[in-house]
Each structure stands twice: as C-alpha cells, then as structure tokens.
Amino acid sequence: MLLLPLVNFVACQLFALLMAVWFRIYLHPSKTSPFIRHVVATLLGFYLALFCFGWYSLHFLVQSGLSYSVMVFAGLEHMHKYCFIVTLSYLILCQITRVYVFDYGMYSADFTGPMMVITQKITSLAFEIHDGKKSIKLTPTQKYLAIRRMPSLLEYLSYNCNFMGILAGPTCSYNDYKAFIEGTGYQPRHQENANGKENGKYKQSEPSPKNDVISKLCTCAVSLAIYLSLCKLLPVEHAIDDDFVSSTPFHLQVIYLYLAMLALRPKYYFVWTLADAINNAAGFGFNGYNKDGSPRWDLISNLRILDIEFATSFKSFLDNWNIQTALWLKRVCYERCAINPTAATFLLSAMWHGVYPGYYLTFLTGIAMTMAARAVRHNIRPYFLVSDSYKNVYDVVTWASTQIAISYTVAPFVLLAVGPSLKFYRYVWYISLHIEVSLTQSCLVSSCTDELF
C-alpha cells in the first residue's frame, strides 16, 4: 500500500509534464486569453490533486478559502498577520491529524505535502498585498513583488493550485506567475539571485525550454536510479544500530553517516527537478540569459546539485538546497522579524515542515551550527586567503566539515521520532560535537553579524 501513493504521484507528475507541453503550445498567450489559461491550469490542478490524494485534496480548497476570506475581510493593516496565522495553523492541524491519527513515520505521498507549498504561496501573497499598499520605503525586491490589486478568486486559485505546481511546487511569486499566464514573463524585470543580491534589468525574448527540460529529465532519471540503488543499502537507521556502533571504528561511522545522507538526497533531486521541468515545459521559469547567450530556466529552481555536494560552508549548502523555501523564509520571516531573526527563521521552518520531534531537533541544532559556521568563516577564513595553496587546504577541510555537520544535523530529520533521535545523540562523539559547536559559537560569534541569507 505504501508503494501505490508514490506510483500515483510519479504518474501524475508525468501526466502534468505532458499537459505542460500541450499548455505551452495550444494555450499560448498569443492564442488564448489569460482567463482561459487560468481556468485550464486550475481545473487540471484539481484533477491531479483528486486523483493523487482523493477527498483529502478538499483541504487545499478549505485552506485557500479560509485564507482568501481573511484577505478580503480583514483590515489591511494586519491582514497579512491574520492570514499567516490562519494558513499556518490549518497546515499544522492537518499535519497533526495525519501524523498522529493515520500513518506516523510513513513517507507516503501525503496530502500535507502540497499544503506546505500552498501555505508558502498564500502567506507570500498576503505579505505582497500588504507591501503593495504600504507608503513606507520598500527594498527593490519587495517593490518588485508588491501587489497593487487584489487577485480575483480565479487568479488566486490558479496561483495556488495550478497543475504545474499542485503536487510538488515549487513556490513562486504571484507577479511572476501572473506574468507567465499573461505572456509578459519575457519582458525586462527585476531579478534576485540566491544570495539576495540585486541584479539589473536585461533584454529578453521568448526562447524554447526544450533543451533545459530534456537536461532536467535526464537529471531526474539519474537521480531516481541512484536513489533506488542505494536507499536500501545505506539506511540511516543503521547508524544507530548497537552492533554497528560497537564494532565499527569512529571514522568509519562518520563515513557511513555521510554516505547514508548522500544516498537520501537524490530522492529530493528527482522530485524537485521534475517539478522544475514541468513548469519549464509549460513556459514558466525563464530567467534571462547567461553570458554566452544561452537562456536560463532557473527562475523557480529549487536546488543546485553540484553546489550542494561541493558546498564548503553550512550557509552555502542552505543557499542551494530548497531555494524557493529559503526565499520564502527570508521574505516572510527573516527580513521582518525584529528579534533574533535567525532563530525565528529556523523555528518557522520546523513548524512548516511538520510535527515530528526530529524536525525540531534538526532545526534547533541548525541554529547552533549556522552561528558557529558563520563565526569560523568570519574569524578564521581570512588567514587562509594569503595564497592559493592555503585556500585549497581550507576548502577541502571546510567541505569535509560541512558534509559531516549537515549529516549530523539532518539525522533526526530522517529518524523522525524522539527515541531514535536521542539514541543518535547519546553516543559520546555526537554529544561532544554539540559541545564543540556551542564553545565555538560562544568564543567567536561576538564579532559576527546576524546574517543568515
């Protein structure tokens, strides 16, 4: 029974890919109106949700309907806050019901997965509408994202539940989606890269996404093959097996933990890259041109695989993993929180992910890891920039340290429950790593700024 939801999910995504090609060719903005494109995208999205999740997909409509009502009837000054609370609360309620009533610990394609993306979209939309009515100074990004007119119900549902992103996202801004539907997505516009830096405007035309879609589908095939080959051979649970721990040298335990986490990541590479390819196939995701003149289709990409696997800092890893979620956290929390934005951002991320205790252990550890890594980079890295050879040594050491730190931090996220997670932390070297991180943070962090993104 566990396999059936996953098969349905993949089948629905492949169907969405075919529909995306049809949508771009036969419902191109030059051939039909935005109204028709909104209607078709929404109906196809509801069909996929109903096929994949059955009547549980009604939660998508309930969550969207409640939040839209708040947007319409709440006062503008606090509308975004009320909408944020209502949307996130409904998501958490559904997660509690699914986890503690239905299938604790199951990795099946559950209905709260799409609700997580819808939550991002709804809350982003609420803040962007709020920014569109503000008279105070906005950042260039907030100014670009600001919405001056309340979307109609059809536009709102199309944005939340379109067939391209209903099952696996990724999140996108309402203005970018609206430009795609209306066929203006190739016009000059604002751009923000992964590090939050502002780029200028550039000339655009309408290129074909064919090459990028094919490339991403090949990446999906390779990722799926690797995951299916390794996931059973390298289970994370084996890292806390008493016999394995007692009979395996420390350095081999570290290597196994890294390999086990490495074997898990292709699952996410497959899901997110396929979702990106579906959007690109529909004509959504164009992001200007590279220096060599080739088109970029990474506007809503969720990851950069090579940058993840060769990351030399905790921040670099996070910058390239689940990119759209990181941008959402930055825009609705980090930039707007007046007190300890780093801790608030990690806490929101834990609440958004779900109610498994392992999630909270991971993100609480992530706060300490981020602060310590930031302190080390700020205080120690300058000493290794005096020559290329020193920098190469620094890069190798920090790559290994980053991969170990990520594997250590994420283990409870995979183990989920309190018992296995605490068993993971029980061994001396795990506890010592927590202590080492805390000491590093307390000794060095005083000279660092609170910068997560």
Side-chain angles (χ1 to χ4, degrees):
M1 292 299 293
L2 175 61
L3 184 62
L4 181 59
L6 300 179
V7 172
N8 285 345
F9 173 81
V10 174
C12 285
Q13 286 294 76
L14 294 178
F15 175 75
L17 179 66
L18 295 176
M19 289 297 97
V21 175
W22 173 82
F23 192 84
R24 181 173 62 86
I25 296 175
Y26 294 100
L27 292 182
H28 190 273
S30 64
K31 299 179 180 180
T32 189
S33 66
F35 175 81
I36 297 297
R37 284 167 63 83
H38 277 305
V39 169
V40 173
T42 306
L43 291 179
L44 284 174
F46 286 152
Y47 172 76
L48 291 178
L50 190 62
F51 181 87
C52 201
F53 303 106
W55 294 111
Y56 287 115
S57 58
L58 290 178
H59 286 289
F60 307 165
L61 286 176
V62 174
Q63 185 186 35
S64 298
L66 288 173
S67 302
Y68 191 76
S69 299
V70 172
M71 291 182 191
V72 172
F73 296 110
L76 182 63
E77 183 179 358
H78 300 293
M79 174 269 293
H80 58 302
K81 298 177 183 178
Y82 296 148
C83 189
F84 181 89
I85 293 172
V86 169
T87 306
L88 188 63
S89 297
Y90 192 81
L91 170 66
I92 293 174
L93 177 63
C94 289
Q95 288 171 330
I96 291 173
T97 302
R98 186 191 73 84
V99 168
Y100 293 105
V101 176
F102 295 112
D103 58 350
Y104 188 94
M106 302 297 285
Y107 274 107
S108 59
D110 67 276
F111 69 94
T112 62
M115 290 182 67
M116 293 168 68
V117 179
I118 293 174
T119 297
Q120 290 183 348
K121 291 183 175 181
I122 291 172
T123 53
S124 295
L125 183 68
F127 278 94
E128 289 159 9
I129 293 173
H130 176 73
D131 289 344
K133 304 298 182 182
K134 287 167 62 176
S135 58
I136 65 174
K137 184 178 180 181
L138 302 173
T139 67
T141 298
Q142 290 172 341
K143 187 178 298 184
Y144 167 72
L145 296 174
I147 298 172
R148 312 296 178 184
R149 176 185 65 85
M150 180 70 184
S152 68
L153 181 59
L154 174 61
E155 292 170 333
Y156 173 79
L157 292 176
S158 175
Y159 171 60
N160 285 338
C161 303
N162 65 80
F163 74 97
M164 301 172 295
I166 184 66
L167 299 185
T171 298
C172 61
S173 76
Y174 175 78
N175 283 340
D176 285 335
Y177 180 74
K178 183 170 178 286
F180 156 70
I181 289 293
E182 295 176 353
T184 60
Y186 303 99
Q187 297 176 2
R189 55 177 169 74
H190 168 87
Q191 183 190 15
E192 178 185 16
N193 64 23
N195 293 322
K197 306 297 183 183
E198 311 295 341
N199 293 329
K201 295 181 178 180
Y202 41 81
K203 183 179 180 180
Q204 296 174 306
S205 59
E206 184 172 354
S208 170
K210 181 178 69 174
N211 292 338
D212 285 79
V213 170
I214 292 174
S215 175
K216 290 174 182 179
L217 291 179
C218 291
T219 300
C220 289
V222 172
S223 298
L224 184 61
I226 293 175
Y227 173 69
L228 294 177
S229 301
L230 298 180
C231 65
K232 298 297 184 182
L233 296 177
L234 297 166
V236 177
E237 292 77 10
H238 189 60
I240 60 173
D241 180 76
D242 293 332
D243 293 334
F244 172 77
V245 173
S246 61
S247 62
T248 306
F250 167 75
H251 67 282
L252 293 181
Q253 293 181 43
V254 176
I255 293 174
Y256 180 85
L257 180 63
Y258 164 69
L259 293 176
M261 292 300 174
L262 184 66
L264 276 179
R265 288 200 283 268
K267 174 178 67 174
Y268 298 95
Y269 296 165
F270 168 75
V271 172
W272 289 339
T273 305
L274 180 57
D276 196 17
I278 292 170
N279 281 272
N280 292 168
F284 187 30
F286 178 64
N287 199 24
Y289 292 92
N290 295 306
K291 292 181 179 179
D292 61 1
S294 59
R296 292 172 53 196
W297 288 88
D298 62 352
L299 177 65
I300 54 174
S301 295
N302 236 346
L303 74 169
R304 301 182 183 90
I305 296 176
L306 293 180
D307 291 333
I308 289 170
E309 299 301 340
F310 294 101
T312 58
S313 71
F314 206 85
K315 180 180 183 300
S316 177
F317 189 100
L318 297 179
D319 281 344
N320 295 289
W321 174 270
N322 207 351
I323 296 170
Q324 301 307 317
T325 293
L327 288 175
W328 171 70
L329 290 168
K330 172 187 174 183
R331 291 166 180 169
V332 304
C333 182
Y334 187 82
E335 292 181 339
R336 302 173 191 267
C337 184
I339 303 175
N340 202 339
T342 296
T345 301
F346 274 103
L347 178 60
L348 173 59
S349 184
M351 295 173 64
W352 174 78
H353 274 90
V355 293
Y356 288 115
Y359 294 166
Y360 289 84
L361 291 173
T362 285
F363 288 106
L364 287 174
T365 303
I367 297 173
M369 287 289 185
T370 299
M371 299 294 289
R374 180 190 302 152
V376 170
R377 182 176 179 84
H378 181 85
N379 290 274
I380 296 178
R381 185 172 182 267
Y383 294 104
F384 288 86
L385 299 180
V386 295
S387 68
D388 290 340
S389 58
Y390 277 39
K391 185 179 184 301
N392 290 336
V393 171
Y394 177 85
D395 287 342
V396 171
V397 172
T398 52
W399 171 82
S401 301
T402 297
Q403 298 304 321
I404 293 172
I406 288 292
S407 300
Y408 169 75
T409 302
V410 173
F413 190 96
V414 179
L415 296 172
L416 298 178
V418 173
S421 298
L422 293 182
K423 186 178 181 181
F424 177 80
Y425 286 140
R426 190 178 65 195
Y427 300 109
V428 174
W429 75 278
Y430 294 133
I431 297 174
S432 66
L433 184 55
H434 259 100
I435 296 173
E436 181 181 347
V437 167
S438 299
L439 289 176
T440 301
Q441 178 182 341
S442 62
C443 293
L444 299 177
V445 78
S446 59
S447 61
C448 298
T449 56
D450 187 24
E451 181 181 354
L452 176 61
F453 295 95

